[in-house]
Amino acid sequence: MQNIWVHPRGARYLPMSEDIVPKIQDLLRFCHSKRVPVFYLHTTKRRDLADVGVFADIKPQTHDPDDEWSNFEGTIGAEFYEPIKPAADDLTVKKFRYSGFYGTQLENLLRAMGRDTIAIAGVATNVCCDSTARDGAMRDFRVLFLSDCNASFTREEQEATLNNFNKHFGVVMDSKALTAKLQELE
Amino acid sequence: MQNIWVHPRGARYLPMSEDIVPKIQDLLRFCHSKRVPVFYLHTTKRRDLADVGVFADIKPQTHDPDDEWSNFEGTIGAEFYEPIKPAADDLTVKKFRYSGFYGTQLENLLRAMGRDTIAIAGVATNVCCDSTARDGAMRDFRVLFLSDCNASFTREEQEATLNNFNKHFGVVMDSKALTAKLQELE
Amino acid sequence: MQNIWVHPRGARYLPMSEDIVPKIQDLLRFCHSKRVPVFYLHTTKRRDLADVGVFADIKPQTHDPDDEWSNFEGTIGAEFYEPIKPAADDLTVKKFRYSGFYGTQLENLLRAMGRDTIAIAGVATNVCCDSTARDGAMRDFRVLFLSDCNASFTREEQEATLNNFNKHFGVVMDSKALTAKLQELE
Amino acid sequence: MQNIWVHPRGARYLPMSEDIVPKIQDLLRFCHSKRVPVFYLHTTKRRDLADVGVFADIKPQTHDPDDEWSNFEGTIGAEFYEPIKPAADDLTVKKFRYSGFYGTQLENLLRAMGRDTIAIAGVATNVCCDSTARDGAMRDFRVLFLSDCNASFTREEQEATLNNFNKHFGVVMDSKALTAKLQELE
């Protein structure tokens, strides 16, 4: 998660992201202790807007190149939020659109590691998380959408996304259910 | 639109699809008269389930290979719904996942035709239509999601999808606004 | 393999394809007996040229829509060459560019079947076969390029492609080596 | 071009790359003066080999993580070759497989800039350059493969690749022909 969305000064700050920070921290500790690979997706854009395509028009509010708290390359807004950032063995994948699978090496990394299941955590539930989760499912990964580790702008968006995902794309569960499942598998 | 979703006997019949049929018929007449290219997406699956991937588990209700009203290759359920089917010059693109852009030639066809804008019509709003629309936006097409030409299972899903799309991915409008806009451009 | 390239009347007939036909027939018998999945790639184009993109200019000689021995949809040239065509359990994947992985469901099918290795047979070595083989390698499949089951237009092209592939993309072997290897693995 | 291939100490040094350096420098000057966008592709791999997939086996000679002159992230070998490196307005695209279009944002950048034609320069002709050029053609870009701005390991590889490309994928020309053409278009 990057400052633009999770830091209180971020240009697209989601207040509900506060609730998920401790949950994700716990999950990360668990994953590191069990050697479950952790991927961070990192979205940036160029200040000359060359790589933003139609989104400069669709979402002008995040495309002001002078805004240090948006997610332009090299700005404070683009940095990972301090309390949750990659540990030594975690993998960072750069992306430039909502989906972490579109135009990235994420699928290759997962295949090379022999992984067939992914769990989604982050912000925003209804935008990047959902788009990444859908794309994972279409590529035949089993996708677990973690209800208490994803945050949205509103309660309604959160629920609509989780309900829809659970019906059509994969499985919604909370992080406790995931860690219990992983422990059971050992 | 295929019988599985739009025909009353379809395995995944959406009653709300009835409302959009006349709207889409009008839109098709308009497009044909103005020589706006029309694409039909056609989703089928093999009876041996070789191409369904994880979805056989996620949605067992549509993966019974004996069901003639699901969308297995060669069944009645897979056929286009009679009142809305491709005219001579329309293009049909086969797809096998929710998104019409994933693993298909849709992007190439649009590029070859010099098109930079697409309008989405069909079912289900919150599944195939939304996934196709999102993928179009990420590929830098301007995507218009037609509020009165897409149907969902429930009113809530319909609204949640349209609101979310309009905020983050593209533009929501109705078919009257689209045809007015196209006439204005002539 | 389709008539356009393998049938003596085909618009792009490769005389060297004759040598590989019996080799591929033997290999198919072996694969069927061992239940090794067999995929046929099938390339067609629309008579209105809507899906051919830049290739109508680059290769005008195969884009005459009146030519029944090119590979337009529904023509004799597009059909599989009679002596080598899909058996009941073989899978056919439609493609529309040189690579069998580009804009198709091939990767999903291979993943769903748990396959991590592919062997390439067909025509032309230096065009479709090489492009498909390279794309497979980049997607992290182990790719075996079968020296006696791929044919080219000239001996030089054949050798250049095989040498290059073996150095940078995967492994070149003949079909006897492949079947020996598979028998050894049983 | 990165040191691994072009610097005399590079782990995969191509002596023939020396000939193309002045040609590419001239071409860059021309492009900058005419505001033709310039893209640099940059290929790196992780020292833990997590992102190299099957290539660790296929090409062990470039996968020794202690080799500072291979192209591992952060090494001298991964850096751009000093005499040819990105100017202020040039765009750099990270890639991790041979093709510059696979798993990257290259296509989006080209589309967003309204470009339909690309010219290929670099090393090695028969590996990264050819794979990128083929992928560009399959995505319907007009691809110009510059005969005097691409270098290979041997003269035979160079010729085989250029001949094959010119017959099936796009157009081969030298940089003088390209600049003449661009000047003519002004």
Side-chain angles (χ1 to χ4, degrees):
Chain A
M1 299 198 293
Q2 298 165 245
N3 287 326
I4 174 178
W5 299 291
V6 186
H7 191 287
R9 295 190 51 191
R12 295 288 280 168
Y13 175 54
L14 293 95
M16 288 168 63
S17 65
E18 259 179 52
D19 302 339
I20 66 173
V21 168
K23 300 282 186 178
I24 295 181
Q25 288 174 320
D26 285 351
L27 183 62
L28 288 171
R29 264 188 296 273
F30 178 86
C31 289
H32 291 146
S33 75
K34 301 292 182 188
R35 306 190 64 79
V36 175
V38 173
F39 290 82
Y40 280 78
L41 294 171
H42 193 236
T43 314
T44 57
K45 44 192 191 254
R46 294 169 53 101
R47 278 191 201 259
D48 63 8
L49 304 183
D51 56 355
V52 302
V54 297
F55 293 96
D57 292 343
I58 292 166
K59 299 179 84 170
Q61 67 274 29
T62 52
H63 289 87
D64 167 9
D66 293 329
D67 188 345
E68 292 296 311
W69 288 94
S70 182
N71 60 334
F72 291 99
E73 284 172 5
T75 62
I76 178 81
E79 284 176 22
F80 285 119
Y81 181 57
E82 187 62 33
I84 298 184
K85 42 191 249 183
D89 288 338
D90 297 342
L91 291 108
T92 299
V93 173
K94 301 275 290 178
K95 73 181 179 74
F96 65 109
R97 287 289 179 271
Y98 296 130
S99 165
F101 284 97
Y102 180 67
T104 75
Q105 61 182 136
L106 180 57
E107 182 167 0
N108 279 66
L109 285 165
L110 289 164
R111 300 292 181 203
M113 289 172 151
R115 298 285 156 170
D116 62 5
T117 303
I118 54 178
I120 305 285
V123 290
T125 310
N126 49 312
V127 192
C128 289
C129 301
D130 189 26
S131 292
T132 301
R134 287 176 181 223
D135 266 10
M138 289 194 284
R139 281 157 176 79
D140 289 337
F141 291 96
R142 290 173 193 277
V143 184
L144 314 176
F145 209 121
L146 301 178
S147 53
D148 59 341
C149 294
N150 287 275
S152 192
F153 295 91
T154 67
R155 196 64 57 192
E156 292 70 36
E157 287 171 342
Q158 178 80 358
E159 271 165 38
T161 303
L162 296 182
N163 286 341
N164 194 42
F165 192 82
N166 203 44
K167 270 191 219 156
H168 301 288
F169 297 91
V171 173
V172 173
M173 56 169 63
D174 66 13
S175 56
K176 216 156 67 176
L178 172 63
T179 55
K181 191 85 194 161
L182 284 169
Q183 250 156 345
E184 199 186 299
L185 287 174
E186 280 189 301
Chain B
M1 299 197 293
Q2 297 164 244
N3 287 326
I4 172 177
W5 299 292
V6 185
H7 192 287
R9 294 190 51 190
R12 295 287 281 168
Y13 174 55
L14 294 96
M16 288 168 64
S17 65
E18 260 179 52
D19 302 339
I20 67 172
V21 169
K23 301 280 187 179
I24 296 182
Q25 288 174 321
D26 285 350
L27 184 61
L28 288 170
R29 263 188 296 272
F30 178 87
C31 290
H32 290 145
S33 75
K34 302 291 182 189
R35 305 190 64 80
V36 174
V38 174
F39 290 82
Y40 281 77
L41 294 171
H42 193 236
T43 314
T44 57
K45 44 191 193 254
R46 294 170 52 102
R47 279 191 200 259
D48 63 8
L49 304 184
D51 56 355
V52 301
V54 298
F55 292 96
D57 291 343
I58 292 167
K59 298 179 85 169
Q61 67 274 30
T62 53
H63 289 88
D64 167 8
D66 293 329
D67 188 345
E68 292 296 310
W69 287 95
S70 182
N71 61 334
F72 291 99
E73 284 172 5
T75 62
I76 178 80
E79 285 176 20
F80 285 118
Y81 181 55
E82 187 63 33
I84 299 184
K85 44 190 247 185
D89 288 338
D90 297 341
L91 291 108
T92 298
V93 172
K94 300 276 290 176
K95 72 181 182 75
F96 65 108
R97 288 289 180 269
Y98 296 132
S99 166
F101 284 97
Y102 180 68
T104 74
Q105 62 182 135
L106 181 58
E107 182 168 1
N108 279 64
L109 284 165
L110 289 164
R111 300 292 182 203
M113 290 173 150
R115 299 283 155 172
D116 62 4
T117 303
I118 53 178
I120 305 285
V123 291
T125 309
N126 49 313
V127 193
C128 289
C129 301
D130 189 27
S131 292
T132 300
R134 287 176 181 223
D135 266 10
M138 289 195 284
R139 281 156 177 80
D140 290 336
F141 291 96
R142 290 173 193 278
V143 184
L144 313 176
F145 209 120
L146 301 178
S147 52
D148 59 341
C149 294
N150 288 275
S152 191
F153 296 92
T154 67
R155 195 66 57 191
E156 292 70 36
E157 288 171 341
Q158 178 81 357
E159 271 165 37
T161 303
L162 296 182
N163 286 340
N164 194 43
F165 192 82
N166 202 44
K167 270 192 220 155
H168 301 289
F169 296 91
V171 173
V172 174
M173 57 169 64
D174 64 14
S175 55
K176 215 156 68 177
L178 173 63
T179 54
K181 191 86 194 161
L182 284 168
Q183 252 157 342
E184 199 185 299
L185 288 174
E186 282 189 301
Chain C
M1 298 198 294
Q2 298 164 244
N3 287 326
I4 173 178
W5 299 291
V6 187
H7 191 287
R9 295 191 50 191
R12 295 287 280 167
Y13 175 54
L14 293 97
M16 288 167 63
S17 65
E18 261 180 50
D19 302 339
I20 66 173
V21 168
K23 300 282 186 178
I24 295 181
Q25 288 175 320
D26 285 350
L27 183 61
L28 288 171
R29 264 189 295 275
F30 178 87
C31 290
H32 290 146
S33 75
K34 301 292 182 188
R35 305 190 64 79
V36 175
V38 174
F39 290 82
Y40 280 78
L41 294 171
H42 192 237
T43 314
T44 58
K45 45 192 191 254
R46 294 169 53 101
R47 278 192 201 259
D48 63 9
L49 304 183
D51 56 355
V52 301
V54 297
F55 292 96
D57 291 343
I58 292 167
K59 300 179 83 169
Q61 66 275 30
T62 52
H63 289 88
D64 167 8
D66 293 328
D67 188 344
E68 293 295 311
W69 288 93
S70 182
N71 61 334
F72 291 99
E73 285 172 3
T75 61
I76 178 80
E79 284 175 21
F80 284 119
Y81 181 56
E82 187 63 33
I84 299 185
K85 43 191 248 184
D89 288 337
D90 296 343
L91 290 108
T92 298
V93 173
K94 300 275 290 176
K95 73 181 179 74
F96 64 109
R97 288 289 178 271
Y98 296 131
S99 165
F101 284 98
Y102 180 67
T104 74
Q105 61 183 137
L106 180 58
E107 182 167 1
N108 278 66
L109 285 165
L110 289 163
R111 300 291 182 203
M113 290 173 150
R115 298 285 155 170
D116 62 4
T117 303
I118 54 178
I120 305 285
V123 291
T125 310
N126 49 313
V127 193
C128 290
C129 301
D130 189 26
S131 292
T132 301
R134 287 176 181 222
D135 266 10
M138 289 195 283
R139 282 157 176 79
D140 289 336
F141 291 95
R142 290 173 192 278
V143 184
L144 314 176
F145 209 121
L146 301 177
S147 54
D148 59 340
C149 294
N150 287 276
S152 192
F153 296 90
T154 67
R155 197 63 59 191
E156 292 70 35
E157 288 171 340
Q158 178 81 357
E159 270 165 38
T161 304
L162 296 181
N163 286 341
N164 195 42
F165 192 83
N166 202 44
K167 271 190 219 157
H168 301 288
F169 297 92
V171 173
V172 174
M173 56 169 64
D174 65 13
S175 55
K176 215 157 66 176
L178 172 63
T179 54
K181 191 85 194 162
L182 284 168
Q183 250 155 345
E184 198 186 300
L185 288 174
E186 283 189 299
Chain D
M1 299 198 293
Q2 297 165 244
N3 286 326
I4 173 177
W5 298 291
V6 186
H7 191 287
R9 295 190 51 191
R12 296 286 280 167
Y13 175 55
L14 293 96
M16 288 168 64
S17 65
E18 259 178 54
D19 303 338
I20 66 171
V21 169
K23 301 279 187 180
I24 296 182
Q25 288 174 320
D26 285 349
L27 184 61
L28 288 170
R29 262 187 296 273
F30 178 87
C31 289
H32 290 145
S33 76
K34 301 290 182 190
R35 306 189 63 80
V36 175
V38 173
F39 290 83
Y40 281 78
L41 295 171
H42 193 236
T43 314
T44 58
K45 44 190 193 254
R46 293 170 53 101
R47 278 191 201 259
D48 64 9
L49 303 184
D51 56 355
V52 301
V54 297
F55 292 96
D57 291 342
I58 292 166
K59 299 180 83 169
Q61 66 274 31
T62 53
H63 289 87
D64 167 9
D66 293 329
D67 188 345
E68 292 296 311
W69 288 94
S70 182
N71 61 335
F72 291 99
E73 285 172 4
T75 62
I76 178 80
E79 285 176 19
F80 284 119
Y81 181 56
E82 188 62 32
I84 298 185
K85 43 190 248 186
D89 287 338
D90 296 342
L91 291 108
T92 299
V93 173
K94 300 275 291 178
K95 73 180 181 75
F96 65 108
R97 287 291 179 268
Y98 296 131
S99 166
F101 284 97
Y102 181 66
T104 74
Q105 61 182 136
L106 180 57
E107 183 168 1
N108 279 65
L109 285 165
L110 290 164
R111 300 290 183 205
M113 289 172 151
R115 298 285 155 171
D116 62 5
T117 303
I118 54 178
I120 305 285
V123 290
T125 309
N126 50 313
V127 193
C128 289
C129 301
D130 189 27
S131 292
T132 300
R134 287 176 180 223
D135 266 10
M138 290 196 283
R139 281 156 177 80
D140 289 336
F141 290 96
R142 289 172 193 279
V143 184
L144 314 175
F145 209 121
L146 301 178
S147 53
D148 59 340
C149 294
N150 288 275
S152 191
F153 296 91
T154 68
R155 196 65 58 190
E156 292 69 37
E157 288 171 341
Q158 178 80 358
E159 272 165 37
T161 304
L162 296 182
N163 286 340
N164 195 42
F165 192 83
N166 203 44
K167 270 192 220 155
H168 301 289
F169 297 92
V171 173
V172 174
M173 56 169 64
D174 65 13
S175 55
K176 216 157 67 177
L178 173 62
T179 55
K181 191 86 194 161
L182 284 169
Q183 251 156 343
E184 198 185 299
L185 288 175
E186 281 190 300

